[in-house]
Amino acid sequence: MTGRFVTFEGSEGCGKTTQIRLAAASLAERGIPVFETAEPGGTPLGRRIREILLNRGSCTIGAEAELLLFAAARAQHVREIILPALKEGTLILCDRFADATVAYQGFGRGLDADFIRILNAFSALSLKPDMTLLFDLPVATGLARAQKRAAGGQPETAEDRFEHEDYDFHERIRKGYLTLAAGEPDRFRIIDGAADVETVHREVCRCLAELS
Ligand code: TMP
């Protein structure tokens, strides 16, 4: 039995992390074996890389090094967690994956798109999501949400290196995601991330039902 691999993507403050938790909880309630994970993270190595990448005070990281660190976290995540779980028939819900690298390091930082495509395939061991839910919303709305969360004061929700980037950077990310979605309409589902949590959750459930 092979499981399914679903990724949740979107620009800052799009609500995907809340939605992944709600979706995992409602699937588990219905007895569906589900596993929730995130990038960068998901493994001990991934969590250490996440700390380096997201902590604004940690050290200077150039765009090339940033790209390779995300790729390293992904390679370990796929090998150690995702592929074994898929083999067991689990439905995996992953908070960001390779599309984030195209959107952020490609469209956002301006790194070479062809190289990113090759690196993504290498680091994902050629694994592609069965379905990708893109939570789309205006940049200003998302950034306002992210700033509100950061003002909440929890260290893990403090404004990170990416949220601190300028407005145009985030516009490029949004455009990048929409470009990716337009190029692979069979894989992507675009969900209105500006809608209220309950409405978005219903839409997520409707999309996930297509997998069964
Ligand atoms: P999160 O805030 O959704 O947990 O994601 C962490 C940050 O890392 C977010 O700002 C997006 C960024 N990111 C990239 O720039 N490239 C990637 O490949 C991934 C997975 C995340």
Side-chain angles (χ1 to χ4, degrees):
M1 181 168 57
T2 312
R4 296 302 188 95
F5 181 42
V6 179
T7 56
F8 286 50
E9 298 276 5
S11 47
E12 305 300 322
C14 68
K16 64 185 170 39
T17 307
T18 303
Q19 290 300 329
I20 212 167
R21 290 198 181 129
L22 290 173
S26 73
L27 290 161
E29 243 171 52
R30 286 159 42 211
I32 297 169
V34 62
F35 182 74
E36 189 194 329
T37 188
E39 287 207 359
T43 64
L45 176 66
R47 282 186 285 278
R48 284 168 78 173
I49 292 176
R50 183 182 180 92
E51 260 175 53
I52 295 170
L53 277 168
L54 298 194
N55 185 343
R56 272 169 65 195
S58 74
C59 51
T60 304
I61 306 174
E64 299 79 7
E66 178 184 280
L67 169 66
L68 295 171
L69 285 167
F70 278 114
R74 177 159 315 125
Q76 192 63 29
H77 192 203
V78 172
R79 181 178 290 283
E80 187 179 328
I81 302 288
I82 299 177
L83 289 180
L86 282 174
K87 264 198 196 136
E88 285 177 9
T90 309
L91 168 59
I92 300 177
L93 306 181
C94 187
D95 192 337
R96 297 197 189 279
F97 195 63
D99 296 311
T101 311
V102 178
Y104 280 78
Q105 281 64 52
F107 283 81
R109 301 279 193 228
L111 293 178
D112 184 70
D114 290 332
F115 178 66
I116 291 178
R117 202 170 313 119
I118 293 166
L119 184 66
N120 271 350
F122 177 77
S123 58
L125 310 183
S126 298
L127 176 72
K128 281 201 104 180
D130 295 298
M131 179 184 279
T132 296
L133 306 183
L134 172 59
F135 298 86
D136 180 59
L137 82 175
V139 166
T141 313
L143 286 180
R145 279 187 190 168
Q147 273 156 14
K148 205 167 148 198
R149 186 181 56 202
Q154 301 300 314
E156 66 275 18
T157 59
E159 191 181 41
D160 66 33
R161 279 180 57 238
F162 291 92
E163 287 162 7
H164 196 62
E165 290 289 339
D166 65 25
Y167 190 86
D168 287 352
F169 176 80
H170 295 287
E171 281 291 359
R172 292 197 297 279
I173 308 292
R174 183 183 187 199
K175 182 172 160 245
Y177 272 126
L178 290 171
T179 305
L180 280 167
E184 283 184 79
D186 289 345
R187 173 164 69 92
F188 276 89
R189 302 289 177 278
I190 301 178
I191 293 177
D192 176 13
D196 65 273
V197 173
E198 235 343 280
T199 306
V200 178
H201 176 56
R202 273 199 302 277
E203 188 59 14
V204 169
C205 292
R206 200 187 57 73
C207 293
L208 294 177
E210 290 178 38
L211 290 168
S212 48

